[in-house]
Amino acid sequence: MQNHISAALALFLAATLAPRVMAAPVIEADTDHAALVWEAENGSGTLWQRHFGAKPARDNALALAYPAFGNGYLCEPALRVTHADGNTSTDLVYVSHAVTHPSDGVTLTRIELKDRFYPFFVTLCCRSHAHTDIFELWSEYRHEEPGPVTLYNFASASPVIPRHLDTLTHFHGDWATEASPVREKLTQGVKFIDSKRGSRVHQRDLPMFLLSQGAFKEESGEVIGGALAWPGNFQLAFDRNNFQLDVSNREDLRAICGMNPAGSQYRLEAKTPFVTPALVLGYSNAGVGNLSRNFHRFARQDILRDGDKPRAILLNNWEATDMNFDEKKIVGLFDGAKAAGMDLFLLDDGWFGEKFTRESPATAGLGDWMPNPKKLPHGVEALAQEAVKRGLRFGIWMEPEMVNPNSELFTKHPDWALQQPHRARQENRNQVVLDLCNPAVEEHVFKCVDDLLTNAPSVSCLKWDCNSQVSQPGSPYLAAKDQSHVFIEYNRALCRIMEKVAKKHPKVEMMICAGGSGRVDFGSLRYGHTYWPSDNTNPYPRMDIQRSFSYFFPVMASANHVTLSGQCSLKFRFDEAMSGCLGMDMDLQKLSPADRATVASCIAAYKGIRDIVQLGDQYRLENRQENHSREAMDFVTEDKARAVLMVYQTENPGKASPVKLNGLDPAKNYRVKEINLPIGATSKLAEDGKVLSGKALMEAGLVPPCTAAVTSAVITFAADGTGK
């Protein structure tokens, strides 16, 4: 009886002390060219979204800013909770807002909402980046109710989109076919895109989307792009529904984006904050190309580690040796890498395990992160020093979230793996996922990575891989009532581990990998330098995969490796891989002297343009999936003094046609030069060595010298005076 009286008293006080509904000013978060505007209704305190799109705000239609379930809203909610007394409805009203400026060009807007009766609080957060027209949107919850509140839906944001942007482009795939674009018109109802895989969740569907009116165009038209900064399960819902009209009596198009609520209801204790990941939202009224360049600048400035520094060129041993190597064989690869002009050698899977050694096929050893004494008798640091002696940096592969049942770690701690009681263990690739929900496991995983990097200080690069999904989301550590927290707490712990590694080892570069592109998101990349787009390194499908990722992520983060996959010349492979962060997976010793000379020549050519490609603005000029014969792009420095054009002729064109550049200064003259020619060859480009105006290059273009299938060209442009 006493508990019921206390609960009733608490709720009475909450109602008595409810926020005084007051008039609020219009709240505007804006950037150089876009604005997101809210307004609190006089009298009721309801918070409406008034505008999202181009500046100045022109759309006075009002739609609920953050719709909650159970009190009249009948469409897909952003928020659904059960309060401590069992009430399944929420009624949020405006309390206050605050605006701060944490850094130059960045504005943080926080809007405080509260349930009209319960002491349940929601803060809508918006970090707007003026110069890139990017908004980061997330929500924060807390409460002071007498018992736990259960969260069932907890969207990061639910922006209302201009309803004429009715065409959705999203991205799906599988291993080796990642990030395939799908375009469809949004009709009545709700379109869901999600993942329930727990880890490496982006292997099938990716948490990123584009909205446009019909098919988007590169350099014209309105486009909105969104990408969730979260490595775990996600849900993107696009609700176009006749049953819920805004106050202008017009139908909404709402994007409800955040962590996937499926199997993840969350018991939130009083005074405990619950923070959702950010939805990174961009707006452009100058096409998807402009939107992409804004995403790229945002990532380089605010997300990627060392986003202002070009990335290293590396040689990875995976396709050269698989797991069949020893110290002598790896050291033998160093000289070839150095002779070719590379900066870094990365040792991949198979170097670890004592009692349970790691061999091919991979059935044992994961979790036992000590060097295999037969393969590396002198340890990791000695091997790394051999690379350093030759003028190479040294990197190493780890998959620290996983464990093989055939391992010392699993033998000692079988309860450290995610598992479901009374169910047969499910393995993927002969491995299971460690229970990062357990603080002891979280600390152990960090310590494994930290010990490796501390004990081998010559290691300056870490490839962080993840090759299994969470198929049995049960935690031996969490209480029975909290088992539905697994998907959320696992990925929160993962982010904490990566953050600690990055802070303690700031000079160690990190490549994010997850069975291919299973973990490409702005959340993971906050701790990394590069990501691995796909295990498919055939240049033809790879250029499609890389194009899809380039809508959101800068090419400096895309690890593009030259391998022997596909039927094409070594030059074509290099030219294609140069459109990002160049690397190789190949045994150079097995190449002919002529091919080794080609490798060195290509790497030297790339070093001359690396800063333009990785730090410049990208313009996608032609898409082989649309014109069926050619892919073309250029990169331009911020001062427009230098540029590089890359053209890949994938099929016989029938008739040669010019490529028109973009991003140049029409008033500048540019000296044209074809580079990365076959050794001893001369350029067949008619304009090679000539000076042309930026205006002519953009309006008339030039005919590239690659006119047959499976040929390519790389052409540079250097400002050479001022044109007329």
Side-chain angles (χ1 to χ4, degrees):
M1 176 63 72
Q2 182 65 38
N3 288 339
H4 289 297
I5 293 173
S6 299
L9 177 60
L11 293 177
F12 170 76
L13 290 173
T16 303
L17 300 176
R20 179 168 52 90
V21 175
M22 55 182 289
V26 171
I27 307 164
E28 181 168 349
D30 65 354
T31 65
D32 287 351
H33 305 100
L36 179 55
V37 184
W38 303 269
E39 180 179 324
E41 183 177 339
N42 287 331
S44 73
T46 301
L47 185 70
W48 303 95
Q49 180 187 309
R50 180 173 176 177
H51 173 81
F52 175 55
K55 289 173 63 177
R58 63 186 186 278
D59 185 359
N60 292 317
L62 300 180
L64 283 172
Y66 197 73
F69 174 84
N71 193 38
Y73 189 77
L74 304 177
C75 294
E76 188 66 22
L79 174 69
R80 182 167 73 94
V81 310
T82 296
H83 295 279
D85 65 354
N87 191 334
T88 61
S89 69
T90 301
D91 184 12
L92 297 174
V93 295
Y94 169 86
V95 176
S96 64
H97 72 278
V99 178
T100 57
H101 302 278
S103 60
D104 181 44
V106 178
T107 300
L108 176 61
T109 303
R110 295 175 61 88
I111 305 173
E112 184 84 3
L113 308 177
K114 180 190 177 297
D115 186 89
R116 196 178 300 274
F117 179 82
Y118 295 96
F120 179 86
F121 304 88
V122 175
T123 304
L124 303 184
C125 306
C126 174
R127 186 185 292 117
S128 52
H129 299 259
H131 307 317
T132 55
D133 294 330
I134 295 293
F135 301 85
E136 295 178 87
L137 305 173
W138 71 96
S139 55
E140 300 175 0
Y141 310 142
R142 61 183 176 85
H143 74 88
E144 297 174 7
E145 298 189 27
V149 169
T150 303
L151 308 177
Y152 290 95
N153 290 71
F154 30 84
S156 298
S158 62
V160 177
I161 306 298
R163 53 186 52 78
H164 62 276
L165 302 182
D166 59 358
T167 301
L168 169 68
T169 302
H170 58 99
F171 303 86
H172 81 102
D174 201 342
W175 180 82
T177 61
E178 293 92 342
S180 302
V182 176
R183 182 176 297 149
E184 56 187 290
K185 187 177 178 66
L186 290 171
T187 57
Q188 301 303 318
V190 187
K191 169 74 177 183
F192 287 97
I193 300 164
D194 74 353
S195 176
K196 304 179 182 71
R197 299 168 67 85
S199 62
R200 70 165 189 173
V201 302
H202 312 152
Q203 194 82 58
R204 298 289 175 87
D205 291 283
L206 289 99
M208 58 194 201
F209 64 89
L210 298 168
L211 290 165
S212 55
Q213 187 171 18
F216 59 74
K217 298 179 181 179
E218 278 291 332
E219 303 300 334
S220 64
E222 282 189 287
V223 187
I224 287 173
L228 192 68
W230 176 242
N233 290 349
F234 67 90
Q235 183 183 91
L236 311 177
F238 302 91
D239 189 356
R240 180 182 288 278
N241 205 313
N242 276 328
F243 297 109
Q244 193 74 32
L245 304 179
D246 64 23
V247 295
S248 302
N249 202 36
R250 296 190 303 178
E251 158 194 332
D252 286 345
L253 169 58
R254 186 184 295 276
I256 305 133
C257 306
M259 295 184 286
N260 196 333
S264 294
Q265 61 268 23
Y266 198 96
R267 296 176 73 258
L268 185 63
E269 301 291 342
K271 299 182 180 181
T272 302
F274 184 97
V275 181
T276 68
L279 171 66
V280 182
L281 197 66
Y283 172 82
S284 169
N285 58 6
V288 73
N290 178 64
L291 178 73
S292 295
R293 290 184 288 277
N294 284 338
F295 273 124
H296 297 174
R297 293 188 194 100
F298 162 74
R300 290 195 298 263
Q301 295 169 10
D302 297 282
I303 297 295
L304 290 171
R305 292 170 60 195
D306 301 318
D308 59 344
K309 296 179 176 62
R311 292 351 190 184
I313 303 169
L314 69 84
L315 178 67
N316 190 307
N317 71 296
W318 180 251
E319 295 200 19
T321 67
D322 196 79
M323 297 183 191
N324 303 312
F325 59 81
D326 56 21
E327 184 178 85
K328 181 178 179 181
K329 190 168 188 177
I330 294 301
V331 170
L333 298 176
F334 292 166
D335 290 332
K338 180 61 178 177
M342 297 181 189
D343 308 308
L344 169 68
F345 181 91
L346 196 148
L347 178 64
D348 216 290
D349 193 358
W351 58 269
F352 50 90
E354 289 183 342
K355 180 178 180 181
F356 297 89
T357 60
R358 184 75 161 171
E359 308 292 346
S360 185
T363 60
L366 273 181
D368 301 341
W369 299 107
M370 66 288 289
N372 181 331
K374 293 183 179 179
K375 291 184 178 182
L376 304 182
H378 301 100
V380 173
E381 174 62 11
L383 182 61
Q385 287 183 6
E386 289 298 320
V388 172
K389 287 177 186 177
R390 292 161 173 80
L392 289 172
R393 292 169 49 209
F394 184 85
I396 201 162
W397 178 97
M398 290 187 79
E399 193 177 1
E401 302 158 65
M402 306 294 163
V403 63
N404 289 127
N406 292 326
S407 67
E408 292 184 59
L409 178 63
F410 190 85
T411 300
K412 294 177 182 177
H413 299 287
D415 59 326
W416 277 16
L418 291 174
Q419 54 197 274
Q420 296 284 20
H422 318 302
R423 304 288 182 253
R425 185 173 69 226
Q426 293 185 10
E427 298 178 14
N428 182 51
R429 289 170 52 105
N430 306 298
Q431 63 193 57
V432 291
V433 183
L434 287 171
D435 180 11
L436 298 188
C437 305
N438 184 336
V441 179
E442 178 183 341
E443 179 58 28
H444 172 81
V445 170
F446 167 73
K447 191 174 185 300
C448 287
V449 180
D450 180 43
D451 285 351
L452 173 67
L453 298 178
T454 300
N455 296 329
S458 298
V459 173
S460 61
C461 180
L462 176 67
K463 181 180 178 182
W464 187 304
D465 209 346
C466 169
N467 287 293
S468 293
Q469 68 276 356
V470 177
S471 57
Q472 293 180 311
S475 167
Y477 171 80
L478 292 177
K481 61 184 174 55
D482 294 329
Q483 287 299 309
S484 58
H485 295 189
V486 166
F487 287 130
I488 294 174
E489 296 301 349
Y490 176 93
N491 285 284
R492 284 177 170 174
L494 170 67
C495 291
R496 287 193 297 268
I497 295 168
M498 286 186 166
E499 182 177 23
K500 287 172 65 177
V501 170
K503 285 183 176 180
K504 187 166 183 183
H505 303 279
K507 295 183 179 180
V508 176
E509 183 178 326
M510 187 183 295
M511 178 192 291
I512 305 296
C513 181
S517 63
R519 190 174 280 160
V520 183
D521 66 275
F522 285 121
S524 301
L525 287 176
R526 190 172 294 280
Y527 314 112
H529 293 73
T530 58
Y531 67 87
W532 183 239
S534 176
D535 287 341
N536 188 343
T537 54
N538 182 327
Y540 270 48
R542 197 46 136 66
M543 71 176 66
D544 298 332
I545 294 169
Q546 291 165 190
R547 183 195 318 109
S548 289
F549 283 120
S550 78
Y551 290 124
F552 301 89
F553 306 104
V555 301
M556 74 177 306
S558 177
N560 300 352
H561 287 194
V562 174
T563 72
L564 295 176
S565 178
Q567 301 296 316
C568 53
S569 68
L570 194 54
K571 169 183 164 54
F572 189 93
R573 300 174 199 275
F574 266 98
D575 284 354
E576 195 282 324
M578 284 183 183
S579 63
C581 179
L582 177 65
M584 287 190 73
D585 272 80
M586 199 178 291
D587 188 344
L588 298 176
Q589 295 174 323
K590 294 182 179 179
L591 298 180
S592 67
D595 281 346
R596 286 199 295 272
T598 295
V599 169
S601 177
C602 290
I603 290 174
Y606 179 70
K607 285 184 174 180
I609 62 172
R610 172 166 48 180
D611 62 324
I612 308 175
V613 173
Q614 295 191 15
L615 302 178
D617 287 331
Q618 180 188 24
Y619 294 83
R620 292 178 295 267
L621 306 175
E622 297 184 10
N623 179 337
R624 80 182 189 100
Q625 292 185 328
E626 294 177 355
N627 66 21
H628 305 297
S629 68
R630 188 167 68 186
E631 186 92 5
M633 68 193 76
D634 68 14
F635 301 89
V636 185
T637 58
E638 185 177 1
D639 63 4
K640 300 186 182 297
R642 300 165 64 213
V644 58
L645 169 68
M646 298 179 176
V647 184
Y648 314 115
Q649 192 70 51
T650 56
E651 298 179 23
N652 288 315
K655 180 181 179 181
S657 60
V659 172
K660 298 178 181 180
L661 282 80
N662 204 347
L664 303 179
D665 185 340
K668 289 184 185 294
N669 285 334
Y670 294 87
R671 187 169 297 279
V672 183
K673 181 176 179 59
E674 184 180 6
I675 66 168
N676 204 35
L677 294 163
I679 295 174
T682 57
S683 175
K684 296 180 181 179
L685 176 66
E687 295 84 357
D688 189 59
K690 295 181 179 179
V691 175
L692 300 175
S693 72
K695 184 175 186 293
L697 288 166
M698 291 190 291
E699 292 182 357
L702 51 76
V703 177
C706 48
T707 56
V710 203
T711 58
S712 56
V714 180
I715 304 166
T716 63
F717 304 84
D720 190 62
T722 302
K724 295 183 179 179

